[in-house]
Amino acid sequence: GEKDMAYGMTEWEKMRAYVENERKRHSSNYSQGEREIVRDTEVKFIVSPAEVYELASELLMLAGLREEEAHLVADSLTEAELRGRPTHGLVRIPGLTELLQKSERRKDAAGKADLRVVSDGGHHLLLDGGNNLGYLAADRGMSLAIERTKAHGTATVGVFNTNHSGMLGYYPLRAAKEDLIGIVLCNCSPLMTA
């Protein structure tokens, strides 16, 4: 209804204002490209998937992610929006940027997320996420699972010391592109909604 539409537009306007404030704060230049209609749960916005991806990437780099890491997270956020999962899309950006600015993430000498294999049994591994974004840890975990499945026929990778990893359906798609079956599970705090 009208109330839902106003709410959706308000949220979009908040996101756009947030983006503009971050751009000004970091004095970055931005040029707008062509726009297409992309649907949200209640409202239609005039925004292309490419623009969503670029906005997300830019904000995540401003918050401290390296370019390739920002692109990976932005791709997951964009995919969530396109698949009708806005709770795992752009709405996550303010929380992610705050988390990146406040958290004590383990990084390597080049500033990249330092994700360490702490147990390696060939076809089963345990990955320490180093308090880095769950998106990065889940992606690395899936990369290892794909690599080890090709070598051993099957693989299981556990990941710990990380946080929210976005839309879980994003990661098994990587396995499917390699003609493999991928299953991703996670735990979280108990939550009950009315």
Side-chain angles (χ1 to χ4, degrees), residues 48-105:
S48 72
E51 184 178 20
V52 169
Y53 173 82
E54 290 302 321
L55 286 170
S57 294
E58 180 181 347
L59 287 170
L60 293 165
M61 284 186 283
L62 291 172
L65 284 184
R66 293 175 49 94
E67 185 174 4
E68 65 273 12
E69 295 169 336
H71 289 318
L72 185 146
V73 177
D75 190 55
S76 177
L77 297 173
T78 303
E79 188 69 23
E81 290 286 346
L82 291 171
R83 289 181 176 269
R85 301 287 182 253
T87 57
H88 288 69
L90 290 178
V91 70
R92 294 281 174 188
I93 292 175
L96 289 172
T97 57
E98 183 177 339
L99 182 64
L100 287 166
Q101 292 165 354
K102 291 182 177 180
S103 70
E104 295 291 327
R105 302 182 318 124

